Amino acid sequence: MTTTLPSSIPDSQLGLTHSEIQILRQHQQIALQNQAYAHSTSSRGRGHARTSASTSRAASAASSHNGRLLLDPGSLAVLGQHFERLMSAIQNRVDNLTAQTETSTLSQSSRAGNAMAAADAEIARFRGILRQIDELETEFDKVRHIRDIVKGFRARVEGLEKRFDARGSRR
């Protein structure tokens, strides 16, 4: 009894880029090897040698036909399931990273909000200090003006005192 290889097509005819072809080849092998492993472990001791043998043949065929996409329904189903699991794993990772990004963004936003509140408080404190400085400068100007007036009166009083002393010593 001869076994026929599953029909296949050259993967270079699929319209894929070189890197996409490499990914397809890699994942086709992984999918078929995973299927072969799953069938061999699940059918041990249960009398499913025929299923295990056909799966092994499919995995062997896949590895010996590098550069070709296997077109039999079983291989395509396995490859499709593999890509579904892969896409699900990628989506889960994207969701996880999105959640981490949101958490980080909220944390940074909270810190930024706290920093802004602290900055606003410091600005208000600084404005209060400037207002007090302005008030002190105004008071300083008033005191200086009063000092100048007092100096003027003192000079007049000393002048009058000298005059009285001079008149008193003349008499």
Side-chain angles (χ1 to χ4, degrees), residues 103-142:
T103 301
S104 176
T105 301
L106 289 174
S107 174
Q108 289 296 334
S109 176
S110 177
R111 278 189 244 154
N114 291 342
M116 287 176 54
D120 287 343
E122 285 301 310
I123 289 170
R125 188 174 78 79
F126 183 71
R127 285 183 178 154
I129 291 170
L130 289 176
R131 188 183 77 261
Q132 290 175 7
I133 289 172
D134 288 343
E135 290 171 0
L136 289 174
E137 285 178 346
T138 301
E139 289 299 313
F140 185 74
D141 289 341
K142 288 177 186 177

Side-chain angles (χ1 to χ4, degrees), residues 5-148:
L5 292 175
S7 58
S8 63
I9 182 173
D11 53 17
S12 58
Q13 293 181 359
L14 297 174
L16 302 173
T17 65
H18 179 71
S19 63
E20 290 170 334
I21 290 171
Q22 294 301 329
I23 291 170
L24 175 65
R25 287 176 184 172
Q26 176 187 6
H27 285 282
Q28 182 177 11
Q29 280 190 319
I30 291 170
L32 291 173
Q33 287 170 354
N34 286 346
Q35 181 190 30
Y37 176 76
H39 280 293
S40 70
T41 58
S42 69
S43 63
R44 285 189 187 153
R46 295 191 185 139
H48 295 289
R50 183 174 179 173
T51 307
S52 180
S54 66
T55 306
S56 268
R57 280 194 304 270
S60 176
S63 63
S64 66
H65 286 93
N66 278 338
R68 300 189 68 80
L69 175 64
L70 301 177
L71 296 178
D72 67 288
S75 297
L76 290 175
V78 168
L79 186 60
Q81 291 169 354
H82 172 74
F83 277 118
E84 287 299 321
R85 284 190 304 276
L86 184 62
M87 292 297 292
S88 178
I90 291 170
Q91 186 61 51
N92 288 340
R93 183 68 178 139
V94 167
D95 292 346
N96 186 346
L97 291 173
T98 299
Q100 289 178 17
T101 301
E102 288 174 359
T103 301
S104 176
T105 301
L106 289 174
S107 174
Q108 289 296 334
S109 176
S110 177
R111 278 189 244 154
N114 291 342
M116 287 176 54
D120 287 343
E122 285 301 310
I123 289 170
R125 188 174 78 79
F126 183 71
R127 285 183 178 154
I129 291 170
L130 289 176
R131 188 183 77 261
Q132 290 175 7
I133 289 172
D134 288 343
E135 290 171 0
L136 289 174
E137 285 178 346
T138 301
E139 289 299 313
F140 185 74
D141 289 341
K142 288 177 186 177
V143 169
R144 184 179 325 145
H145 181 69
I146 292 171
R147 182 196 68 190
D148 291 343

